[in-house]
């Protein structure tokens, strides 16, 4: 007998099927109000906490303000709530930003399509974090260059990347290239679980958390 998929699994698989920025805008318009409960809580989405932990371990006192890319409803900021950081949330979905705004954890919330432009926000941030945005259906390695424009020299980047797509979508090759030309330094990776709830079809999914600094 086939087990019915939960609302969170349906949401996740729908997100993986996205192909364009417009798809993302339309998709998250429908799910913004239930994202925290049906997806994050129900599936045990622990990756934002791991990204926040890696940032706190790697940072120095000057690594703020932070840009949280693809901030969604603000799960990374939730994990950093009791720290001294200043954090801005960036997302393509206005509805997700509106949800995040209600938590009062961000200094600013900005609707930005990272595949197009970050005009007006270049060289602003001293740290750039992202959890769950660099994956299939969302942002690929081509968006790394645009993300790097947000950071000042020495900016700390901590990005989660779906492990199944790190090699196949070219993320590994991208970071090797950036390291070889001296654009980034102090590059590290660590493998992490994406979920801590074992009772769903994607419970074994893994991510690589990459950290580096902009030269």
């Amino acid at each position: 007998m086939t087990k019915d998929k939960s609302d969170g699994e349906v949401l996740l698989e729908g997100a993986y099927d996205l192909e364009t920025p417009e798809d993302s805008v339309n998709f998250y318009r429908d799910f913004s109000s239930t994202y925290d409960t049906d997806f994050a809580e129900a599936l045990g989405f622990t990756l934002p906490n791991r990204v926040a932990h890696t940032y706190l371990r790697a940072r120095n006192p000057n690594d703020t303000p932070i840009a949280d890319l693809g901030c969604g409803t603000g799960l990374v900021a939730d994990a950093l709530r009791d720290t001294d950081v200043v954090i801005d949330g960036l997302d393509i979905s206005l509805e997700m930003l509106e949800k995040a705004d209600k938590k009062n954890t961000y200094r600013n919330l900005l609707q930005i399509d990272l595949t197009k432009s970050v005009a007006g926000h270049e060289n602003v941030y001293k740290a750039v974090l992202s959890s769950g945005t660099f994956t299939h259906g969302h942002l690929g390695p081509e968006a790394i260059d645009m993300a790097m424009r947000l950071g000042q020299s020495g900016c700390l980047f901590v990005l989660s990347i779906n492990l199944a797509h790190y090699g196949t979508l070219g993320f590994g090759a991208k970071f090797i290239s950036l390291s070889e030309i001296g654009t980034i330094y102090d590059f590290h990776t660590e493998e992490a679980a994406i979920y801590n709830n074992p009772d769903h079809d994607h419970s074994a999914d893994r991510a690589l958390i990459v950290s580096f600094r902009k030269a």
Side-chain angles (χ1 to χ4, degrees):
M1 184 175 186
T2 303
K3 182 185 75 170
D4 291 338
K5 292 186 183 298
S6 68
D7 290 343
E9 289 174 283
V10 172
L11 192 159
L12 174 61
E13 291 172 6
Y16 280 176
D17 288 338
L18 301 175
E19 295 182 357
T20 68
E22 291 74 19
D23 289 342
S24 294
V25 169
N26 293 330
F27 182 80
Y28 287 108
R29 180 183 298 121
D30 294 334
F31 286 107
S32 59
S33 62
T34 60
Y35 182 88
D36 283 4
T37 53
D38 289 353
F39 172 70
E41 293 178 15
L43 300 190
F45 185 46
T46 192
L47 194 56
N49 300 75
R50 291 296 303 268
V51 167
H53 177 74
T54 299
Y55 163 76
L56 291 172
R57 189 178 68 238
R59 73 166 180 162
N60 63 52
N62 296 320
D63 291 331
T64 184
I66 299 167
D68 178 11
L69 302 182
C71 68
T73 61
L75 299 179
V76 169
D78 284 346
L80 294 171
R81 181 184 293 272
D82 295 326
T83 69
D84 60 350
V85 302
V86 174
I87 184 167
D88 290 349
L90 288 62
D91 203 283
I92 195 172
S93 168
L94 180 60
E95 287 76 17
M96 296 288 268
L97 291 171
E98 290 173 345
K99 183 77 171 180
D101 189 39
K102 296 177 181 178
K103 297 181 177 180
N104 297 314
T105 51
Y106 290 103
R107 177 183 65 175
N108 298 307
L109 289 163
L110 308 170
Q111 187 179 22
I112 288 178
D113 181 352
L114 205 63
T115 68
K116 294 180 179 178
S117 174
V118 292
H121 307 287
E122 297 97 333
N123 303 310
V124 170
Y125 296 99
K126 295 185 178 180
V128 175
L129 311 184
S130 182
S131 173
T133 302
F134 290 94
T135 185
H136 47 151
H138 290 67
L139 295 177
E142 66 282 351
I144 297 293
D145 292 332
M146 190 69 73
M148 289 185 62
R149 296 184 187 183
L150 296 164
Q152 300 177 6
S153 177
C155 177
L156 172 64
F157 284 75
V158 181
L159 313 174
S160 75
I161 299 169
N162 188 288
L163 182 60
H165 302 278
Y166 185 82
T168 57
L169 294 185
F171 284 101
K174 179 64 176 178
F175 291 124
I176 290 172
S177 175
L178 291 174
S179 297
E180 288 177 344
I181 64 177
T183 303
I184 66 173
Y185 66 97
D186 200 18
F187 181 80
H188 301 280
T189 66
E190 59 182 292
E191 191 171 328
I194 298 177
Y195 307 99
N196 62 14
N197 177 354
D199 191 28
H200 60 85
D201 290 346
H202 293 273
S203 60
D205 288 3
R206 309 285 289 178
L208 272 186
I209 298 177
V210 304
S211 61
F212 57 88
R213 289 188 182 272
K214 177 181 176 180

